[in-house]
Amino acid sequence: QGQLVESGGGLVQTGGSLRLSCAASGFTFSRSVMTWYRQAPGTEREYVAHITDSGITMYGNSAKGRFTISRDNAKNTMYLQMNSLKPEDTGVYYCTAALYGGEHYRGRGTQVTVSS
């Protein structure tokens, strides 16, 4: 059974940076498409970015130019480097994994709070 565990969230001031991690286990990480989402209270889930098994990356509009997604297949870990953080970036960030065989996993999330 696959598992994803996020870490790296916390409280940061506007303009600050955080690096989130998503540690994977129980499935072939290198063959997965990994995605970051976020959700603030009372709002819909928002797509942040994803990275394919071949390393192709894409970003949502709110992340472009400020966030960088990456992965280390040797460590079974995905990262999200977040710079120039804004209060509207506040929310629970969670990662998902999708495999071509249909398996899908989601972590519990890590809280990011950006103070103004």
Side-chain angles (χ1 to χ4, degrees), residues 16-20 66-67 80-85 93 112:
S17 298
L18 283 173
R19 188 196 194 201
L20 305 184
R66 298 187 300 128
F67 296 1
L80 185 68
Q81 177 66 43
M82 305 189 295
N83 299 326
S84 303
L85 284 163
Y93 285 69
V112 171

Side-chain angles (χ1 to χ4, degrees), residues 19-98:
R19 188 196 194 201
L20 305 184
S21 298
C22 171
S25 61
F27 63 92
T28 307
F29 178 77
S30 61
R31 298 182 181 177
S32 64
V33 176
M34 300 297 297
T35 305
W36 284 104
Y37 292 95
R38 69 186 185 188
Q39 189 166 19
T43 68
E44 296 285 327
R45 181 183 73 172
E46 180 183 2
Y47 163 81
V48 176
H50 80 265
I51 183 167
T52 69
D53 55 339
S54 58
I56 296 171
T57 60
M58 290 194 70
Y59 297 89
N61 288 335
S62 62
K64 288 178 182 177
R66 298 187 300 128
F67 296 1
T68 302
I69 190 171
S70 62
R71 67 191 298 161
D72 185 338
N73 289 338
K75 295 183 178 180
N76 287 350
T77 303
M78 173 180 66
Y79 304 98
L80 185 68
Q81 177 66 43
M82 305 189 295
N83 299 326
S84 303
L85 284 163
K86 308 173 183 179
E88 50 264 44
D89 294 317
T90 293
V92 176
Y93 285 69
Y94 62 93
C95 58
T96 68

Side-chain angles (χ1 to χ4, degrees), residues 1-4 25-27 103 105-106:
Q1 183 72 12
Q3 185 177 13
L4 298 172
S25 61
F27 63 92
E103 297 171 74
Y105 304 105
R106 169 183 166 167

